[in-house]
């Protein structure tokens, strides 16, 4: 349909996360309809990102400056929050609750997927902690088996350096009706109950 | 987050049909992770489409050649199927059931939106029909108020040229359980019942 250029573009869109052939066709038709306001600006924006955006040499965040805006901000607290991905870092920043710095691991330890410590940004984290120990390291791993394994591994390593380590609380999420929560979450929330 | 280039790209993605800020961030992070296999190819593919793809001068289909592959295909039947959008044309082509040519109106008549005949590719359709009258014109309008109005308008105009006009059947869609169908569809299907 519509020649090789069009098919190629639809195919590239269709393989992006959350999209498929149908949504890709819809997007490409909209882009072609709005050539001046969408198609050409999108091409330019992708090119600009490809040229400008790099991983921060300190924390691994994506930014057009290196060190990134967060690492370069001297008013940030002397804490390091360890996350798996840049997406997780962005989610924490959107919550507007944390004012320290970050370290992006690039994934979690996984026996199944064969990912060991050398495949993640763990050596750079430990080097960073040794060079200038922060007040606290906060482990913001996802509440998955791999996330927990990564958290345990890092806790041991960081405690050995004499730096306080904490991890995110687990429990009932905001707005979470008990009847639709899974048993694991309920069990965790009950075990970690606090005096009212 | 991440500098102006990144924000601009996320914003452009977030305004594409079916996407929002969350899916746009996810897509942009994947693009940046797979720089060589996704980010740069996507920029090149958009550029190639912008350069190559044009609306067909005869039918309005999008293609990298003009006349488009369908109009240029001499083995196509001498029928014209009138559709609102290129997306509708593609849907019919995927069904592999129609072997004639098309005419893309670019929308439907709409009193509410203030779209009259002069806003659609109706003059070019009538000129085309007068220059070389096809065996049949098939109106493949959506089953909406505006689609029906457009169909009626075109039926009158095309009948006046002495060319047979038909329109798509309306009724129970494939796989459609009666209990979940709306009353309008059920009424249409009942009225248009056929002897078994």
């Amino acid at each position: 349909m519509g020649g090789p250029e069009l098919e190629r573009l639809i195919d590239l869109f269709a393989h992006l996360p959350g999209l498929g052939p149908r949504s890709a066709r819809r997007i490409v038709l909209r882009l072609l309809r709005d050539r001046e306001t969408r198609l050409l600006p999108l091409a330019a924006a992708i090119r600009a990102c490809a040229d400008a955006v790099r991983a921060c040499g300190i924390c691994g965040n994506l930014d057009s400056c290196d060190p990134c805006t967060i690492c370069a901000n001297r008013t940030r607290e002397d804490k390091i929050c360890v996350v798996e991905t840049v997406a997780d870092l962005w989610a924490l920043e959107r919550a507007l609750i944390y004012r320290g710095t970050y370290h992006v691991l690039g994934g979690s330890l996984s026996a199944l997927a064969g990912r060991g410590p050398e495949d993640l940004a763990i050596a750079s984290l430990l080097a960073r902690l040794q060079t200038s120990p922060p007040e606290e390291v906060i482990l913001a791993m996802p509440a998955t088996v791999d996330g927990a394994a990564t958290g345990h591994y890092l806790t041991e390593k960081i405690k050995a350096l004499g730096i306080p380590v904490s991890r995110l609380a687990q429990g009932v999420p905001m707005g979470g009706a008990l009847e639709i929560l899974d048993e694991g979450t309920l069990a965790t929330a009950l075990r970690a109950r606090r005096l009212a």
Side-chain angles (χ1 to χ4, degrees), chain A:
Chain A
M1 291 295 347
E5 292 87 358
L6 209 45
E7 277 176 14
R8 166 100 176 121
L9 184 58
I10 292 172
D11 185 61
L12 282 168
F13 268 107
H15 286 87
L16 289 176
L19 299 183
R22 189 178 289 260
S23 43
R25 281 193 296 266
R26 194 161 156 236
I27 286 172
V28 168
L29 283 173
R30 180 66 64 89
L31 287 175
L32 286 166
R33 198 193 69 181
D34 302 341
R35 187 183 158 83
E36 302 302 323
T37 57
R38 290 184 196 258
L39 184 69
L40 300 181
L42 185 61
I46 292 177
R47 182 61 60 185
C49 259
D51 292 343
V53 178
R54 292 286 179 278
C56 171
I58 299 175
C59 75
N61 184 21
L62 292 169
D63 204 324
S64 17
C65 46
D66 184 8
C68 73
T69 317
I70 295 172
C71 285
N73 184 345
R74 294 282 162 204
T75 70
R76 289 264 174 172
E77 293 175 13
D78 186 24
K79 296 172 182 172
I80 296 179
C81 180
V82 180
V83 291
E84 277 193 0
T85 64
V86 174
D88 294 345
L89 186 163
W90 289 1
L92 281 162
E93 281 296 290
R94 281 197 303 278
L96 297 173
I97 192 70
Y98 176 68
R99 295 288 303 159
T101 62
Y102 294 90
H103 197 87
V104 180
L105 292 180
S108 52
L109 298 175
S110 168
L112 264 180
R115 264 195 314 276
E118 66 285 357
D119 299 313
L120 305 178
I122 288 181
S124 62
L125 171 64
L126 297 176
R128 193 177 161 193
L129 297 179
Q130 279 170 311
T131 312
S132 60
E135 289 172 15
E136 181 185 359
V137 173
I138 301 164
L139 302 177
M141 305 290 110
T144 59
V145 173
D146 287 347
T150 313
H152 285 130
Y153 179 87
L154 289 176
T155 302
E156 300 234 330
K157 292 279 180 192
I158 300 168
K159 272 189 178 164
L161 298 174
I163 300 168
V165 191
S166 63
R167 60 187 183 85
L168 296 187
Q170 291 184 3
V172 181
M174 194 76 78
L178 292 198
E179 63 173 356
I180 62 161
L181 279 182
D182 62 293
E183 293 77 8
T185 300
L186 278 177
T188 309
L190 192 64
R191 267 201 307 271
R193 67 189 178 279
R194 298 168 60 167
L195 280 174

